[in-house]
Amino acid sequence: MKKIKYILVFSLLMMSLGLSAQKTEIVEEDYANDRIEMADAMRADGKIYVLVAIIVTLFIGFTLYTVMTERKVKKLEKSLKERE
Amino acid sequence: MRKTWWKIIGVALVFYTLIAGLLLDAPRLAILNETIRAMHFHVPMWFGMVIMLTASVIFSIRYLRTGNQKFDTYAIELVNTSILFGVLGLVTGMIWANYTWGAPWSGDPKQNASAIGMLIYFAYILLRNSITDPQQKAKIGAVYNIFAYATLIPLLFILPRLTDSLHPGNGGNPGFNAYELDGRLRMVFYPAVIGWTLMGVWLTELRIRLSFIKSKIDEED
């Protein structure tokens, strides 16, 4: 087992060395590169989609909370019925 | 009422209006700009409130006719949720007014009337809480509820139309009513009204059930 461990660590080390050797510098133009597709929809149109995402998330949260509250009410009703 | 399908419809409709109301094309009108979309969120509060208050009055009348305590619980919880909707309607209206009419409160007849309407229903809650005898509480509450409703409807729908109002469709102010609610706005607005009303009824149903549980526990003690 020990041997395998050493081999693993060694190969990982070699891989990271190899990766660092291939590094290319990121330049300022890369950030303004329009030819590469990124998740731009969320940033377009004055970021309205972000607002939609926030509001929808809030609504989902409140809905889930209401569903959980309803479950609690159901439990109470059940235990009340069993007591009778 | 304990079925889940209408709750799912309510959630789905509101979900749809949140997205469609913000993203679909809206008429480009001066001063209003994008805030015309507030119509899909602010106005359904009032529609929901009036629908639920109407249901509440019907239950109050049924209580008076049958003496069944159940109907009184329906009536009071519907009023509770309606007050929540009304307060939210007032606050969202003030935010909207601040940026389109220039001030959060401009003494607009409809603004004043809805504030008075809210006060009338606050008084309903106060009146009920000040009576300890449950029978009396229910009976006086039901009668008051009928009077409150009979005052609210002219306050909201008749009086503001008799004078100049900043609200669309009242007095000499065209607002966006001059353009008539066009089909595309309606596609969002009506689902919003139905969706928010169903959400309100859901909350009401939960509170009614809690109230029944409470009265059962009180009976056993």
Side-chain angles (χ1 to χ4, degrees), chain A residues 14-26:
Chain A
M14 287 316 284
M15 266 165 71
S16 59
L17 277 175
L19 278 176
S20 64
Q22 287 171 357
K23 260 186 191 163
T24 46
E25 215 184 330
I26 289 174

Side-chain angles (χ1 to χ4, degrees), chain A residues 48-49 51-52 55-56 59-60 63 66-67 69-70 73-74 76-77 80-81 83-84, chain B residues 2 7 11 14-15 18-19 22-23 196 199 202-203 205-206 209-210 213 216-217 220:
Chain A
I48 184 71
Y49 297 102
L51 191 64
V52 174
I55 293 171
V56 166
F59 181 65
I60 291 172
T63 306
T66 316
V67 170
T69 310
E70 173 151 15
V73 173
K74 233 177 228 167
L76 270 179
E77 285 171 341
L80 257 186
K81 229 174 221 167
R83 266 199 356 201
E84 277 164 15
Chain B
R2 298 203 178 177
K7 292 167 191 167
V11 171
V14 173
F15 197 83
L18 288 180
I19 298 168
L22 286 165
L23 292 184
W196 283 108
M199 294 303 287
W202 185 9
L203 284 176
E205 188 226 40
L206 284 181
R209 283 160 74 179
L210 279 178
I213 292 170
K216 247 186 203 169
I217 291 172
E220 283 176 27

Side-chain angles (χ1 to χ4, degrees), chain B residues 62-83:
Chain B
R62 281 179 79 181
Y63 167 73
L64 287 175
R65 292 183 67 171
T66 61
N68 189 341
Q69 205 76 31
K70 182 176 85 178
F71 293 129
D72 183 57
T73 309
Y74 292 171
I76 172 72
E77 290 305 346
L78 277 166
V79 168
N80 277 333
T81 319
S82 299
I83 287 176

